[in-house]
Amino acid sequence: MKYKIIFLIFSCLFCISIIFAQKKHTHNGYKDGKIASPARKIIIKYGIASYYANKFVGRKTASGEIYLKEKLTAACNSLPLRTWIKVTNLKNNKSVIVKINDRLHRKNKRLIDLSYHAASVLGYTGRGLTRVKIEVLNNFKIGN
């Protein structure tokens, strides 16, 4: 009986020492000191897109850049400035990659306002509005 208790105590101590030895070799919760990149949250939004009127050419955007209709830029209220996004026209499946560099008027209900060049790539300059899908390409924290 005495030997069984001693064996049980040593077995428990051995198991505990193995557990602590493994913990000692981890860093920030990742084994072998390697830091894994955080899981990328894929952000996809759907909504209505319009494009800038010619009267905005040459004006300063919210990011401080000057709006030029030949650039691939956009205005959006729900994504941070300098976010790169892929915009897909849901009517014809054409896509374009643009940078958010401006904001829409706060009362505007549309999802995005694209530069004239981006709208022409998507093929909706004749209609003025189209339904789009937006996919965030760079990994920023996005608020609700």
Side-chain angles (χ1 to χ4, degrees):
M1 180 74 173
K2 180 179 177 182
Y3 294 112
K4 288 182 182 179
I5 294 174
I6 293 172
F7 178 75
L8 183 62
I9 292 171
F10 280 117
S11 298
C12 289
L13 289 174
F14 180 72
C15 290
I16 291 171
S17 67
I18 289 174
I19 291 170
F20 281 118
Q22 286 178 346
K23 287 264 187 200
K24 192 182 277 187
H25 295 295
T26 63
H27 176 71
N28 290 342
Y30 300 100
K31 290 187 178 180
D32 302 326
K34 295 178 184 173
I35 299 174
S37 61
R40 183 176 176 164
K41 183 178 177 183
I42 298 172
I43 299 164
I44 298 175
K45 296 178 179 248
Y46 294 87
I48 301 296
S50 58
Y51 62 91
Y52 278 86
N54 284 333
K55 70 178 183 179
F56 293 106
V57 173
R59 292 188 187 180
K60 198 179 261 193
T61 64
S63 68
E65 297 175 36
I66 302 298
Y67 169 68
L68 298 173
K69 66 181 185 177
E70 300 82 18
K71 288 189 174 184
L72 294 174
T73 58
C76 182
N77 289 341
S78 61
L79 297 171
L81 293 175
R82 296 174 187 82
T83 300
W84 287 92
I85 59 172
K86 178 181 176 185
V87 183
T88 304
N89 184 341
L90 296 175
K91 291 188 182 209
N92 59 17
N93 224 23
K94 291 182 180 180
S95 296
V96 66
I97 294 174
V98 299
K99 180 176 70 171
I100 303 294
N101 73 341
D102 205 3
R103 296 289 181 217
L104 295 163
H105 189 277
R106 67 179 177 274
K107 292 184 180 179
N108 192 330
K109 300 295 182 197
R110 289 189 289 278
L111 178 62
I112 194 163
D113 200 9
L114 294 167
S115 66
Y116 182 83
H117 182 62
S120 65
V121 170
L122 294 181
Y124 74 94
T125 54
R127 289 187 301 277
L129 299 174
T130 194
R131 186 144 171 74
V132 295
K133 173 175 126 177
I134 292 177
E135 300 169 80
V136 175
L137 299 178
N138 50 358
N139 205 10
F140 287 108
K141 290 183 180 179
I142 310 296
N144 290 342

